[in-house]
Amino acid sequence: MLKTRVLTALLLLALFLLALFYLPDNWWMVFIGAVILFAWDEWLRLTRLESITARLAGAALLCVLFIAILWFRPLITWVVVTLLCLWLVLLIAAFIVSEGFLWSRTFRRLSGLIVLTLAWWMMGWLRAQWNGAWWVLGFLSIIWLADIGAYFVGRSFGKHKLAPSISPEKTIEGVIGGLALVAIVTLVAQRYYPVLPIIWLLPSTLLVAFVSVGGDLYESRLKRIEDIKDSGDILPGHGGVLDRIDSALVGLPVFVFVVLRMGLFSV
């Protein structure tokens, strides 16, 4: 199982890096769009929308909304604030609210539509900035390192459950291990490529890594509501596409908010 998981991860990483560094901006948007559409289809299935016709209609709706956003060209600050507010509501629901409108299938579908559409637009925006491919890679490296550290430390030393009613396998030790790995790599990277003073860089990367845990927990809550193990099975050893990007969906607006506040990009 671990061998399959590692092989799939390496193949996906190679494909992603080729797309990130060699595709023109327009084709990069198409590439990310394909990932988002797979994730959207799985999100709909997590709300028990099984009809192929309904799911195709959902995919068409997401594409129409994305094209509308491209046409209006909203300020990045508007997109960031919208996503941050929506994720705040979703994460509060995951930890505090147990029933009501926030857990209705209609709201879950609507929230997924907004989250994934704006994430698609934001990934295109980030990559279009100066040295954008490296900023995208830097952001995703934080997410990946947090996930890798949490996986291995949690399996080896995990004893205290982080949220047993939501995700029984996630442990406090695993989260700490993920944050520790992010901190170590950040310190090493800053020594050789000092983009920012470490007093700003280290808290920023740790913040992104910490909030990204919420994405995994929220998707776990969606699965538990409908009693579904994985969002999909398209990726051998990894489950579905949504299983692989759930943390990034939460971390992305936080990352962009941080770099905007530091004045690294112009609005």
Side-chain angles (χ1 to χ4, degrees):
M1 181 66 175
L2 180 59
K3 183 177 180 180
T4 301
R5 186 182 180 92
V6 172
L7 180 59
T8 301
L10 291 175
L11 290 174
L12 290 174
L13 179 61
L15 176 62
F16 177 79
L17 292 178
L18 287 173
L20 178 62
F21 286 100
Y22 292 104
L23 286 180
D25 286 343
N26 289 340
W27 283 105
W28 165 253
M29 295 292 273
V30 172
F31 175 80
I32 291 298
V35 175
I36 290 294
L37 286 172
F38 272 111
W40 173 229
D41 185 67
E42 291 172 358
W43 191 302
L44 290 176
R45 290 174 65 188
L46 287 180
T47 64
R48 292 297 184 184
L49 190 67
E50 303 290 349
S51 167
I52 296 296
T53 301
R55 285 158 50 196
L56 288 175
L61 178 60
L62 187 144
C63 290
V64 169
L65 182 58
F66 176 72
I67 292 171
I69 293 175
L70 282 182
W71 188 74
F72 280 108
R73 294 185 180 181
L75 288 176
I76 184 62
T77 49
W78 178 87
V79 176
V80 169
V81 170
T82 300
L83 269 178
L84 288 177
C85 290
L86 179 55
W87 272 117
L88 180 62
V89 171
L90 296 181
L91 295 180
I92 288 175
F95 287 98
I96 299 176
V97 181
S98 58
E99 57 185 14
F101 177 69
L102 293 182
W103 287 114
S104 66
R105 287 175 175 171
T106 298
F107 180 78
R108 280 182 277 153
R109 291 165 186 167
L110 179 61
S111 62
L113 177 68
I114 298 173
V115 163
L116 291 168
T117 305
L118 294 185
W120 183 2
W121 186 89
M122 190 178 291
M123 282 294 284
W125 179 89
L126 185 59
R127 206 267 200 155
Q129 303 306 302
W130 182 74
N131 273 341
W134 288 104
W135 284 106
V136 172
L137 183 59
F139 159 65
L140 290 176
S141 295
I142 297 171
I143 305 299
W144 295 336
L145 288 168
D147 187 45
I148 292 170
Y151 178 78
F152 286 104
V153 173
R155 282 175 63 90
S156 302
F157 306 103
K159 293 182 180 180
H160 302 88
K161 303 299 182 182
L162 177 65
S165 63
I166 299 175
S167 181
E169 295 184 0
K170 190 170 290 295
T171 63
I172 295 175
E173 291 84 357
V175 173
I176 294 173
L179 294 175
L181 183 58
V182 169
I184 292 170
V185 175
T186 298
L187 291 171
V188 173
Q190 197 274 345
R191 179 177 178 83
Y192 294 99
Y193 189 63
V195 178
L196 292 170
I198 195 62
I199 194 173
W200 295 107
L201 183 62
L202 184 58
S204 299
T205 55
L206 289 176
L207 174 63
V208 173
F210 179 74
V211 300
S212 70
V213 177
D216 191 8
L217 291 175
Y218 183 73
E219 192 202 356
S220 294
R221 184 65 189 275
L222 293 180
K223 293 175 184 176
R224 291 185 72 82
I225 288 175
E226 302 291 354
D227 194 24
I228 297 175
K229 185 177 185 299
D230 292 315
S231 64
D233 55 7
I234 192 173
L235 304 176
H238 290 264
V241 173
L242 189 58
D243 292 323
R244 297 277 54 83
I245 70 170
D246 51 7
S247 299
L249 290 173
V250 183
L252 180 58
V254 177
F255 178 83
V256 175
F257 176 80
V258 168
V259 296
L260 285 174
R261 291 292 298 171
M262 291 182 179
L264 298 176
F265 296 147
S266 61
V267 178

